[in-house]
Amino acid sequence: MMRDTASLLIEALPYIRHFSGKTIVIKYGGHAMKDEALKESFAKDVVLMKYIGIHPVVVHGGGPQIGRMLDRVGKKSDFRAGMRVTDQDTMDVVEMVLAGKVNKEIVAFINRHGGRAIGLSGKDGQLIEARKMHIYRYQGDDQPPEIIDIGLVGEVQRINAEILKVLEQSRVIPVIAPVGVGTDGETYNINADLVAGKVASALNAEKLILMTDVPGVLDRSGELISTMTASEAADLMQDETLKGGMIPKVQCAIDAVQAGVHKVAIVDGRIPHCVLLELFTDSGIGTEIVGTRTRRGGRERTHA
């Protein structure tokens, strides 16, 4: 047992050396935000990263928590094109849940395990400047596209990276709620994956980790794809290998890599310490999306 532990530490050493002093952006969501043991696991991972000289930046979701609160206040959730329709009353609930309850709970977990986390909304210091997202539905070659109004749902226009750079060069771990602010001060609900990708790009992050409730990206036979390039990922989207919620995650990964993020990993957040396992082991545990084909731990990552 002691020999196995020593081997794991030695295996981690080159990755610790490589990532030290660099930024890792983590999109925290899914089952890992609901299971108490996984909450503890995630908090410990992030604290350990900071103690060994890595700069973690956390962006979190909170869709299920928003849905439960809307139910409690008697407001029906409505979705169009996979996005929550967000009127002003819904936006008030979204902001209260994300920037209040969920954000502060994550901060508390990290601080409880020896970290120094600070919770931020995208409205703090104009951190996330946003604009209204427009959704279009194709109606045929001879028809103009239908415009779908989903209310106060936004897309990122700009990340004020200086705020995060100041924080990450200290002992502070930023924890970001995906709420943005418009030019006239309006508040926008933004998809957390999209925010994480834009934050990673703005900080020139070494790696973006997207936590999900599946093992990673699967091929047509259901096998985990360990490594693929952004162009290979785009091909999977084009031939409809990817389905449902994996599509926006992979698109987020492609956009991030094309914007300068070195690598993006889509990992199973149901696995305890998934962040450390992806960062510090030769094989990793999820799907890694890169600009060009790479090798890890002396072998090409293709299938697990």
Side-chain angles (χ1 to χ4, degrees):
M1 179 64 181
M2 291 179 65
R3 217 176 277 121
D4 291 342
T5 302
S7 297
L8 285 172
L9 292 172
I10 293 302
E11 181 180 339
L13 179 59
Y15 300 111
I16 293 172
R17 186 166 57 238
H18 174 76
F19 288 119
S20 183
K22 296 177 181 176
T23 298
I24 307 291
V25 177
I26 307 164
K27 188 279 178 147
Y28 177 45
H31 190 70
M33 289 182 64
K34 296 181 280 186
D35 181 276
E36 291 300 315
L38 291 176
K39 290 179 185 179
E40 299 277 349
S41 163
F42 175 76
K44 290 176 181 177
D45 286 5
V46 171
V47 172
L48 176 60
M49 290 168 65
K50 194 67 177 178
Y51 269 104
I52 60 177
I54 300 171
H55 303 307
V57 177
V58 178
V59 178
H60 65 82
Q65 294 90 331
I66 293 168
R68 288 195 295 271
M69 182 59 72
L70 288 171
D71 288 342
R72 287 177 60 183
V73 300
K75 188 160 183 65
K76 182 180 177 182
S77 294
D78 186 15
F79 291 88
R80 304 277 180 85
M83 298 286 186
R84 186 187 300 276
V85 177
T86 307
D87 59 16
Q88 186 58 61
D89 289 341
T90 301
M91 188 66 241
D92 290 342
V93 172
V94 168
E95 186 171 14
M96 176 181 67
V97 172
L98 290 181
K101 185 179 187 303
V102 174
N103 187 273
K104 301 315 174 190
E105 181 183 76
I106 297 168
V107 166
F109 265 98
I110 294 172
N111 291 345
R112 190 184 310 159
H113 290 284
R116 290 182 59 192
I118 289 182
L120 299 168
S121 159
K123 295 170 74 174
D124 294 322
Q126 301 283 103
L127 174 61
I128 304 173
E129 296 179 13
R131 62 189 171 204
K132 183 179 175 67
M133 176 180 284
H134 294 93
I135 302 292
Y136 301 93
R137 179 181 293 157
Y138 177 72
Q139 298 193 107
D141 294 337
D142 299 328
Q143 299 291 327
E146 177 189 1
I147 301 174
I148 304 172
D149 188 355
I150 51 176
L152 294 170
V153 175
E155 57 185 4
V156 177
Q157 193 164 18
R158 177 177 175 270
I159 300 292
N160 187 349
E162 291 306 313
I163 296 172
L164 299 176
K165 289 177 181 177
V166 169
L167 291 175
E168 70 176 4
Q169 291 305 318
S170 67
R171 287 184 56 205
V172 172
I173 300 168
V175 179
I176 303 169
V179 173
V181 61
T183 54
D184 294 324
E186 61 273 44
T187 305
Y188 287 109
N189 178 22
I190 310 177
N191 177 277
D193 289 328
L194 299 180
V195 171
K198 294 295 186 181
V199 168
S201 301
L203 292 174
N204 193 29
E206 181 68 17
K207 194 161 190 171
L208 166 64
I209 297 177
L210 302 174
M211 296 173 65
T212 70
D213 286 342
V214 296
V217 181
L218 307 180
D219 63 19
R220 285 190 177 273
S221 62
E223 293 293 320
L224 176 68
I225 302 172
S226 185
T227 297
M228 60 181 170
T229 64
S231 61
E232 290 167 344
D235 289 342
L236 291 182
M237 295 181 66
Q238 185 67 30
D239 68 16
E240 299 184 347
T241 297
L242 304 182
K243 304 293 183 184
M246 188 54 68
I247 294 172
K249 290 187 185 300
V250 170
Q251 185 62 60
C252 168
I254 293 170
D255 292 344
V257 168
Q258 291 176 342
V261 177
H262 294 193
K263 297 179 180 181
V264 180
I266 299 174
V267 305
D268 191 343
R270 300 169 299 179
I271 299 174
H273 302 293
C274 64
V275 174
L276 297 187
L277 291 170
E278 171 58 30
L279 287 176
F280 299 144
T281 62
D282 288 341
S283 59
I285 63 166
T287 298
E288 192 172 71
I289 298 174
V290 298
T292 56
R293 180 68 70 178
T294 63
R295 290 181 176 271
R296 180 171 181 175
R299 67 178 180 85
E300 189 174 29
R301 296 181 72 191
T302 52
H303 288 75

